[in-house]
Amino acid sequence: MSKMHVKMTVNGKEVEGLAEPRTLLIHFLRENLNITGPHIGCETSHCGACTVDLDGKSVKSCTVFVAQAQGKELTTVEGLVNEDGSLGVLQEMFREHHGLQCGFCTPGMITRAHRLLQENPNPTEEEIRFGMAGNICRCTGYQNIVKSIAAAADTLNAQKEAAE
Amino acid sequence: MIPAGFEYYRPSDITSAVSILQEHGDEARVIAGGHSLIPMMKLRMADMGHLIDLQDIDALKGIEIGSDAVTIGAMVTQHELITHEGLSNAVPLIKEAALLIADPQVRYMGTVGGNVANGDPGNDMPGLMQCLNARFELSGPDGVREVAAREFYEAAYFTAREDEEILTRITIPVPAGGTGYAYEKQKRKIGDYATAAAAVMIGGGTASVAMTNLADTPIWSDAAGAALAAGDVDGCVSAMMGAIDPVADNRGPIEFKKHVAAVILRRAIARAQSRAS
Ligand SMILES: Cc1cc2nc3c(=O)[nH]c(=O)nc-3n(C[C@H](O)[C@H](O)[C@H](O)COP(=O)(O)OP(=O)(O)OC[C@H]3O[C@@H](n4cnc5c(N)ncnc54)[C@H](O)[C@@H]3O)c2cc1C
Ligand code: FES
Ligand code: FES
């Protein structure tokens, strides 16, 4: 099969590369673009470690062909840092509240939580758990992940209020 | 987990998509959200030379709320079904069912058209659409036709849709005001298909009952609905238990599935009754 000329915007930068249409988006990101934040946990659409933000949707990049993502805007965990390169609020809160142990699930968790807070800036604990149900963690028992996201919501809301 | 290679197409109208299907016959398939198809392709259980992506076809998008019926484009995602306020008001049963499908990431990608066209007995939308008495619009080389959801499913992965047809829109009659409804699903974990699921509507002297993943097609039972409409819950459950035909698999043996089916159906009926007015 011939390769296609793939173009997309990743973390605000236009990128391109050659890939067969059947290439999974996660492989294109990791191998062609060297963007290794999104991880491959299961490769079978179950664990959420590969979650990226694709045109404003949280998606499992192991279950998207690169051809489907042609021309789209992507954000990965690398794109969620502050402008000066320091940790973004969600990342900082995961650090502060021990929202990770081994860290394998964390890029997917943070990228998913980012979209969740965009859609629901004041989630209840139950809404956080429901909204994060597509991401599996084998270490933390989830308690501190939920805490980290709740703390990030509070911080982001306080920042927004201060700016107004 | 790399699928076999394919030629990729992204047409922007239905006619072009149909003509690619026509040109390549069973070598070609459409892809909607890809969240049933891509896993099958990765396992090499599905393999096609030509893949037609429907994402750029505007005629397959959007939700229209009329006074008698709602119309949903095939490419509307489960996430959109959940977040569309007009739809939740008109036919709240759809949101209740969609929230029980898969997980958030899958619901951003998975479409209603893909879910009903797929033909997998595990999918939740086919039974839901039978309960709601939906009609599916199909576009093919010979034009447009409509098939009732209750006539659409023939066997696992076999439906009334011809290979060269695309499912374009779904039309659902708006239930009368005061209709009670419930979607109840037993699953082993988040993101799992149903061990048993039931869709129930009761109101205006009628009732409709359908169940999922208890046979090689969804099961809508006329007799079960008639019994429930007459207030005979036991008669409804026994008619439904006579209509289902579960097989043993990793969700359990047949006796267990029948037991779970009856429990789930009774729960759905009780909730639908409590909501009817
Ligand atoms: C982890 C996981 C858990 C899931 N859990 C559930 C669950 O609990 N319940 C449930 O119902 N589903 C579940 N699903 C399936 C999910 O909802 C799918 O997205 C859905 O079944 C198919 O929709 P799609 O848009 O992804 O279709 P695709 O995968 O793109 O297509 C599915 C099939 O339908 C055909 N098709 C698609 N659109 C059309 C059209 N417009 N016209 C004609 N043919 C068409 C395709 O050719 C293909 O054969 C799960 C999926 C995953 C990955
Ligand atoms: S690697 Fe994609 S869901 Fe697990
Ligand atoms: S921190 Fe190890 S898997 Fe989540």
Side-chain angles (χ1 to χ4, degrees), chain B residues 50-81:
Chain B
H50 305 269
L51 197 62
I52 307 160
D53 190 342
L54 302 178
Q55 66 169 302
D56 280 354
I57 305 181
D58 287 339
L60 301 179
K61 295 176 187 166
I63 299 175
E64 286 139 40
I65 311 291
S67 49
D68 301 336
V70 303
T71 311
I72 305 174
M75 288 299 283
V76 168
T77 63
Q78 291 148 18
H79 180 79
E80 291 173 84
L81 293 179

Side-chain angles (χ1 to χ4, degrees), chain B residues 63-70 72 80-96 132 172-181 201 275:
Chain B
I63 299 175
E64 286 139 40
I65 311 291
S67 49
D68 301 336
V70 303
I72 305 174
E80 291 173 84
L81 293 179
I82 291 166
T83 51
H84 193 284
E85 225 172 280
L87 184 66
S88 308
N89 293 333
V91 195
L93 181 59
I94 296 177
K95 177 177 178 176
E96 182 154 301
L132 290 166
I172 299 165
V174 174
T179 298
Y181 64 91
M201 286 205 304
R275 284 168 168 168

Side-chain angles (χ1 to χ4, degrees), chain A residues 70-109:
Chain A
Q70 173 79 313
K72 298 201 182 284
E73 278 202 34
L74 256 85
T75 306
T76 67
V77 72
E78 287 92 338
L80 296 175
V81 293
N82 296 326
E83 267 168 42
D84 64 1
S86 59
L87 294 182
V89 169
L90 261 165
Q91 297 165 331
E92 182 58 31
M93 290 301 124
F94 267 69
R95 193 188 66 77
E96 191 167 321
H97 294 273
H98 303 282
L100 62 148
Q101 288 179 24
C102 79
F104 192 85
C105 69
T106 314
M109 288 284 176

